[in-house]
Structures are given as C-alpha cells and as structure tokens.
Amino acid sequence: MSPTPQYTWPLLNQRLGAEVWIKHENHTPVGAFKLRGALVYLEWLKQTQPGVAGVVAATRGNHGQGVGMAARLIGFKAVIVVPHGNSPEKNRAMQAQGVELVEHGHDFQESLEFARALATERNFAMVDSFHERLVMGTATYALEFFKGAPPLDAIYVPIGLGSSICGVSAARNALGIKTEIIGVVSAQSPSYALSFSRHKIVEAPAATLIADGLACRKPDPSAMESIWNNVARIVEVSDAEIVDAMRVYYQDTHNLAEGAAAAALAASIRQASVLGGRRIGLVLTGANVDAAVFAKILAGSFTL
C-alpha cells in the first residue's frame, strides 16, 4: 500500500489553539490502519508456516477487513468472527474481501475466545489483534508521520488492544526523537487506563456505544509493558466527546472518522487549554462508520 498523507488543517488549528497534524489512516485501501499489520503478519506467516491453509481472526471490523484483504492478496482462506450486533457495513466490507463471516458472542472477548477454538478445530492460524508482527506493520504509519510532519511535541493515539500505540512507540524510539506519546481510551472501556494507573492488568467492562475499536475488556500484557515504558499518560474520553469529535472532523476537514478514530481529537479538544501553541499529532485511525449512524451525528440527533 502507498503511504497515507499527513495534513494540518487551519480550522482545527484555530479550534485547538495549536498546530495540529493529522495522520490520515482513513485513506488506506480498507479505510483504516489495520491493513498494515495484517500484510506484515500474513507475509511472515506464509514464509514461516507454509503448511497453513487459512487464518482466523476476531474483530469488530477493521482488523477483520485488514486480515481479509491481506489473506486474499497472499493466498489464505480467512474466517472472521464478529459479535452479534456488529456494524452491518463493516460486516459487508469484510465479506466483500472474500472472508467467511461468523457471528458469535455478545462482545469482542467472547468472539475472541470462540475464534481461538475455531482456529484449533480447523487447524488454521489464529491472527490475534495484538502481535509483534502487527506492531511492525502499524509502526510504518508512525515512521511516515514522524518523517512527513514537522517535529511534533506530542502525539495522541487511540488504544484498542494496543498495536497502534506500541507501533508509534517503536518508531519514535527507533528515530531517537522526544515526542510525547499520549494514549486515548473510551471512558466506557477503561481497562487500559486503569491498568496504566495501577501498573497491573485490570479488566473492566467494554460498554462504549460509539467506539467499537476501543472496546477492550482485558488488556494484552505485552502491550501494557510497552505502554508503561513509553507512554506519558492516558486520557479517557466519553462517548459524547467522541461523537462531538466525529462531527468536528467533518466540519473542519470534511474527513470521515469512525468513533475510535475520533478519540484522539476528542482528547485534544478536552486538553485544548493546555496545548498553548504546541505542535501536536493526531492519528485518525479509520473512517468506517455506518452511514445511518453518521447521518444522525451530523444532524445532532444521535442518542447515547
């Protein structure tokens, strides 16, 4: 895939009183950053385990689209497990990549446990949402961002299971720069924030209604190790703040942002009073929001 752009938008700069650079991962071939990790992971899998015929993944959407497209390009069968009530448009997008879509469970954790059992049953490889090879893939957007934008004082990164923020940390460290990394989670799915503050793995309900990409009940231990070592702080934003940020992205840049993708902007809006003319980066991780949902958000009629 080609590099995605990074732009600064005057209206956002005025709104936040800072120089704001957006990394547009909404411009990838699947509308989200997840393709990067999937391509790296499945190419590695093909080279190291040539006897594997297929892969299984659990997802709320973007991970599944990335795995689906990478599997189609590299030559694997792909089974994607989603929870009941998952986004219809994300489900259709995954099926368009040729995946076998299975609905199971009431949240991501239940889908994940079922997917692992299914991978064992079919003798397929399980593609978890956090893995070193996925981090290597997501780190490529951070390398592009750090090289393509002027030096950033801070970067706000949404946290789902952690591959994105760990990739940003790896790229920053490899380049030897001092950009402060700030994680962002949903206040309705605070497991990573709680684990960060208590310095131990803490499970918590994943009850966000708008940011399914941030809906994680149990943090990944390897991701938490990287976060503890590299992240300055984690900001919790409410579903209402995320909805407002989705609207702001469209008003100020005419870009679509799904809920999880708007979390970084929501955090920077909350902290605008202390940005004080700094140069900050925001990762817009994806654009895959259902049309009916986004229409209500723009109209101001979306209810939480």
Side-chain angles (χ1 to χ4, degrees):
M1 57 168 284
S2 301
T4 58
Q6 43 277 320
Y7 297 135
T8 185
W9 298 87
L11 287 174
L12 273 185
N13 295 344
Q14 290 176 15
R15 185 185 294 271
L16 295 177
E19 184 180 331
V20 185
W21 284 81
I22 309 298
K23 183 56 173 170
H24 283 283
E25 290 297 280
N26 55 318
H27 292 179
T28 78
V30 297
F33 77 97
K34 291 286 190 177
L35 176 60
R36 296 174 182 269
L39 286 169
V40 172
Y41 186 102
L42 293 193
E43 181 62 27
W44 167 78
L45 188 66
K46 183 179 180 180
Q47 292 174 4
T48 58
Q49 301 180 45
V52 172
V55 294
V56 180
T59 187
R60 295 298 300 265
N62 289 339
H63 179 56
Q65 286 189 62
V67 170
M69 181 173 179
R72 177 172 58 80
L73 293 174
I74 294 171
F76 287 111
K77 296 178 181 177
V79 182
I80 305 298
V81 182
V82 301
H84 292 288
N86 198 52
S87 159
E89 291 183 21
K90 287 185 177 180
N91 287 353
R92 289 201 299 272
M94 287 184 279
Q95 289 173 314
Q97 295 289 354
V99 311
E100 176 188 340
L101 191 74
V102 177
E103 292 185 280
H104 183 91
H106 294 94
D107 65 6
F108 172 76
Q109 194 66 34
E110 291 184 6
S111 298
L112 178 61
E113 291 163 3
F114 180 80
R116 287 174 174 161
L118 190 62
T120 300
E121 176 186 316
R122 297 198 185 184
N123 200 28
F124 282 9
M126 179 67 196
V127 185
D128 284 313
S129 296
F130 186 87
H131 185 276
E132 180 183 64
R133 295 288 160 167
L134 298 179
V135 174
M136 289 179 181
T138 61
T140 61
Y141 85 63
L143 284 170
E144 293 169 12
F145 200 7
F146 288 133
K147 291 180 177 180
L152 301 171
D153 296 313
I155 182 171
Y156 288 78
V157 187
I159 302 174
L161 266 176
S163 68
S164 194
I165 199 165
C166 291
V168 170
S169 299
R172 180 199 64 175
N173 295 347
L175 293 171
I177 57 180
K178 302 300 182 183
T179 302
E180 182 182 52
I181 299 174
I182 302 164
V184 187
V185 302
S186 165
Q188 281 72 44
S189 182
S191 61
Y192 272 85
L194 294 172
S195 299
F196 183 78
S197 63
R198 299 178 189 179
H199 210 82
K200 65 178 184 179
I201 300 297
V202 178
E203 292 189 43
T208 173
L209 298 177
I210 191 61
D212 54 19
L214 305 183
C216 176
R217 193 201 313 167
K218 183 179 181 180
D220 181 276
S222 298
M224 279 310 313
E225 286 295 334
S226 175
I227 290 168
W228 284 322
N229 290 332
N230 293 290
V231 174
R233 61 187 179 277
I234 293 179
V235 180
E236 296 182 43
V237 292
S238 69
D239 277 1
E241 289 174 305
I242 289 172
V243 166
D244 287 342
M246 294 170 72
R247 189 181 304 114
V248 167
Y249 258 132
Y250 191 77
Q251 290 172 337
D252 289 3
T253 78
H254 282 181
N255 274 268
L256 286 177
E258 60 188 272
L265 176 58
S268 66
I269 290 172
R270 171 184 278 201
Q271 299 188 335
S273 62
V274 299
L275 294 180
R278 301 175 81 199
R279 182 185 291 129
I280 65 168
L282 306 179
V283 185
L284 199 173
T285 51
N288 298 320
V289 55
D290 283 358
V293 170
F294 195 63
K296 289 181 180 179
I297 288 172
L298 288 183
S301 60
F302 184 80
T303 55
L304 294 166

